[in-house]
């Protein structure tokens, strides 16, 4: 694989820390740098309607950047939901929570997962999307700027489709059917699915890239496929 991660991201990844409490160092200042401390804490919101509940990550610390970061996360989450639900956005019942899929001093990626119920529809829909942020210059990052979908990416992805990574949802026998469904797509078709809306199909993880592959409702609406790689091989 030429590169899965661009060179600018490699710097982020080598600075990966453990835990939710972080030291954020502002290197834009001359002389002594300033160290900012922050925690990521969950905040429950039902701003959309009384029946909905969205849990957002909220940065708390001693930097004015965190107010901007918190606004960006909420704005991006609302944008993703509006794109998914269109005219049903205000009336849908949304249950959404997040996990931290990747975390360093300079880059954080959140994976949002949940369920949406819309009146007069046959069943609820499982949804997922990612929100990645640069903390040095607070802004939302498109996952496609962090991931290169080349031939090696697809080869590795298909190798891992053969492994049941969703054992909590499928028996190995059932997974064979899921794998056949995914492998029926060509690399070009998968790439088009990913590039059409990368925030709904990709998330960055410490051990690789998480692909959120869309599937029919009977299979759970989306399947998680980890495409692993070694950071050392790409430095």
């Amino acid at each position: 694989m030429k590169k899965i991660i661009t060179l600018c991201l490699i710097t982020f990844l080598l600075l990966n820390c453990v835990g939710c409490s972080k030291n954020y160092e502002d290197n834009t200042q001359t002389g002594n740098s300033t160290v900012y401390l922050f925690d990521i804490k969950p905040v429950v919101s039902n701003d959309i309607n009384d029946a909905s509940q969205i849990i957002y990550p909220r940065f708390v610390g001693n930097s004015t950047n965190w107010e901007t970061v918190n606004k960006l996360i909420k704005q991006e989450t609302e944008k993703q939901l509006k794109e998914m639900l269109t005219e049903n956005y205000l009336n849908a019942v949304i249950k959404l929570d997040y996990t931290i899929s990747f975390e360093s001093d300079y880059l954080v990626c959140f994976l949002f997962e949940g369920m949406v119920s819309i009146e007069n529809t046959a069943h609820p829909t499982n949804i997922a999307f990612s929100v990645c942020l640069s903390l040095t210059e607070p802004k939302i990052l498109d996952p496609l700027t962090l991931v290169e979908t080349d031939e090696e990416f697809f080869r590795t992805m298909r190798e891992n489709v053969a492994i049941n990574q969703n054992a909590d949802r499928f028996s190995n026998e059932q997974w064979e059917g899921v794998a056949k469904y995914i492998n029926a797509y060509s690399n070009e078709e998968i790439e088009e699915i990913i590039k059409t809306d990368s925030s709904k199909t990709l998330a960055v993880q410490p051990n690789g890239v998480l692909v959120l592959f869309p599937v029919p409702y009977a299979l759970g609406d989306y399947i998680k496929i980890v495409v692993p790689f070694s950071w050392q091989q790409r430095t």
Side-chain angles (χ1 to χ4, degrees), residues 113 126 164-171 174-175 215-224:
E113 294 183 272
N126 298 298
N164 184 0
Q165 300 181 7
N166 297 256
D168 57 325
R169 294 166 56 190
F170 302 98
S171 67
Q174 291 171 326
W175 183 255
V215 295
Y217 170 74
L219 297 179
D221 295 312
Y222 65 93
I223 298 294
K224 294 179 181 179

Side-chain angles (χ1 to χ4, degrees), residues 102-166:
F102 182 86
E103 185 179 11
S104 77
D105 287 341
Y106 303 96
L107 173 71
V108 177
C109 291
F110 299 99
L111 175 62
F112 285 86
E113 294 183 272
M115 185 173 293
V116 172
S117 300
I118 300 173
E119 189 176 4
N120 298 324
T121 56
H123 51 74
T125 301
N126 298 298
I127 61 172
F129 58 88
S130 67
V131 175
C132 294
L133 301 102
S134 167
L135 301 180
T136 52
E137 177 189 355
K139 63 179 180 179
I140 299 295
L141 297 175
D142 183 340
L144 270 180
T145 65
L146 311 177
V147 178
E148 185 172 354
T149 52
D150 58 10
E151 290 184 7
E152 182 68 10
F153 175 90
F154 291 113
R155 183 191 65 78
T156 307
M157 176 179 168
R158 291 187 187 281
E159 285 179 355
N160 284 274
V161 166
I163 304 168
N164 184 0
Q165 300 181 7
N166 297 256

Side-chain angles (χ1 to χ4, degrees), residues 11-219:
T11 302
F12 295 150
L13 301 176
L14 293 176
L15 293 165
N16 187 21
C17 296
V18 178
C20 290
S21 295
K22 295 291 172 186
N23 294 331
Y24 166 67
E25 185 174 341
D26 183 356
N27 292 316
T28 62
Q29 299 183 15
T30 58
N32 294 330
S33 60
T34 302
V35 175
Y36 299 110
L37 301 177
F38 70 84
D39 289 328
I40 302 174
K41 298 182 180 297
V43 175
V44 180
S45 171
N46 59 353
D47 290 346
I48 298 175
N49 56 56
D50 291 340
S52 294
Q53 178 177 288
I54 298 176
I55 302 177
Y56 293 99
R58 182 172 181 81
F59 284 72
V60 180
N62 65 337
S63 169
T64 55
N65 273 359
W66 307 143
E67 183 178 351
T68 300
V69 167
N70 291 332
K71 287 181 180 179
L72 286 172
I73 293 171
K74 188 168 184 180
Q75 289 170 357
E76 180 65 14
T77 302
E78 291 175 349
K79 172 178 171 285
Q80 296 286 350
L81 290 171
K82 287 177 181 177
E83 289 175 355
M84 290 179 179
L85 301 174
T86 60
E87 71 274 7
N88 295 307
Y89 172 68
L90 293 176
N91 300 317
V93 177
I94 306 168
K95 304 294 184 182
L96 195 66
D97 201 352
Y98 74 91
T99 55
I100 302 172
S101 67
F102 182 86
E103 185 179 11
S104 77
D105 287 341
Y106 303 96
L107 173 71
V108 177
C109 291
F110 299 99
L111 175 62
F112 285 86
E113 294 183 272
M115 185 173 293
V116 172
S117 300
I118 300 173
E119 189 176 4
N120 298 324
T121 56
H123 51 74
T125 301
N126 298 298
I127 61 172
F129 58 88
S130 67
V131 175
C132 294
L133 301 102
S134 167
L135 301 180
T136 52
E137 177 189 355
K139 63 179 180 179
I140 299 295
L141 297 175
D142 183 340
L144 270 180
T145 65
L146 311 177
V147 178
E148 185 172 354
T149 52
D150 58 10
E151 290 184 7
E152 182 68 10
F153 175 90
F154 291 113
R155 183 191 65 78
T156 307
M157 176 179 168
R158 291 187 187 281
E159 285 179 355
N160 284 274
V161 166
I163 304 168
N164 184 0
Q165 300 181 7
N166 297 256
D168 57 325
R169 294 166 56 190
F170 302 98
S171 67
N172 289 337
E173 184 177 354
Q174 291 171 326
W175 183 255
E176 289 181 5
V178 175
K180 287 180 181 178
Y181 176 86
I182 296 172
N183 284 325
Y185 287 85
S186 66
N187 289 353
E188 292 74 18
E189 289 171 328
I190 294 175
E191 185 173 30
E192 181 63 25
I193 289 171
I194 290 173
K195 289 186 174 181
T196 296
D197 198 338
S198 57
S199 293
K200 298 181 181 64
T201 53
L202 294 176
V204 177
Q205 292 189 325
N207 61 333
V209 178
L210 179 65
V211 178
L212 306 167
F213 196 84
V215 295
Y217 170 74
L219 297 179

